[in-house]
Amino acid sequence: MRAQAPAVAKWHLDGMNYVFTMPLSDHADHSGGDYIYFQGHPREFDTDREEITTRGPDHPRVKTAPFQHVGDTMFTRGSRVYHAVTPVTRGDRITLAVSLFCPLLGKQDENRFWHSAPDDGLLRTLRNWGELRRAVHRPAAYCRREGIPILPLKKHTRP
């Protein structure tokens, strides 16, 4: 009987199109915590979801990001690449993940339902989404409410 692959954090697509991921800890400082992703179209993942999620990193189309050292980076189409993280079994895994969004470019969200974190639950996610939407539509009001200073732009003159 084959041992089941370790569970992973929830497989998901991100709400933003582009995601920059960078470890802030060396892989030698922890065991597990691997960023894994499905190499294929999201429809293919959805079709074979049960097999992929059961086999996890052992599935032939699931790849592991080559993060070994602080500063290794990966730039992905987070809304088009199913991904997850294996459990950390020793030490601490610290990662910086930045989702990129520019409201001036029009609709950037390819998902029908935007989420800030997949495991927050529906009510918390809806509240976070509402706060983001208000911040995008009224950035000055958001900055005042959060105590973020609004500095005047310096007029640039040519020398």
Side-chain angles (χ1 to χ4, degrees):
M1 183 173 167
R2 187 180 185 296
Q4 187 174 4
V8 298
K10 184 178 178 182
W11 281 95
H12 66 281
L13 296 172
D14 290 328
M16 301 290 189
N17 280 352
Y18 303 102
V19 179
F20 174 83
T21 307
M22 179 175 62
L24 300 178
S25 56
D26 280 341
H27 197 275
D29 296 338
H30 62 85
S31 297
D34 294 320
Y35 178 101
I36 57 176
Y37 59 96
F38 176 71
Q39 191 170 37
H41 195 278
R43 282 190 306 264
E44 296 169 318
F45 183 92
D46 290 335
T47 300
D48 297 329
R49 178 182 292 271
E50 186 175 339
E51 180 188 355
I52 295 164
T53 58
T54 299
R55 292 183 65 188
D58 294 331
H59 190 279
R61 294 187 68 190
V62 171
K63 307 298 179 194
T64 301
F67 295 145
Q68 293 299 312
H69 304 288
V70 172
D72 289 347
T73 59
M74 188 171 196
F75 187 70
T76 63
R77 295 288 306 263
S79 61
R80 293 188 181 187
V81 177
Y82 269 101
H83 55 280
V85 177
T86 63
V88 175
T89 58
R90 177 190 60 83
D92 294 313
R93 172 188 182 265
I94 305 168
T95 302
L96 171 69
V98 178
S99 297
L100 304 174
F101 173 77
C102 179
L104 302 176
L105 297 176
K107 186 177 179 186
Q108 290 291 305
D109 184 358
E110 293 184 8
N111 290 329
R112 294 180 65 202
F113 180 76
W114 190 87
H115 65 271
S116 59
D119 297 320
D120 283 345
L122 182 61
L123 293 178
R124 173 74 182 189
T125 298
L126 287 174
R127 192 180 98 214
N128 290 347
W129 182 82
E131 289 176 11
L132 173 67
R133 187 169 185 186
R134 282 190 296 280
V136 167
H137 291 294
R138 302 196 60 207
Y142 171 80
C143 289
R144 281 192 296 276
R145 186 175 64 248
E146 296 298 318
I148 300 169
I150 301 173
L151 304 174
L153 294 175
K154 290 183 180 179
K155 203 171 200 178
H156 185 68
T157 56
R158 293 182 181 208

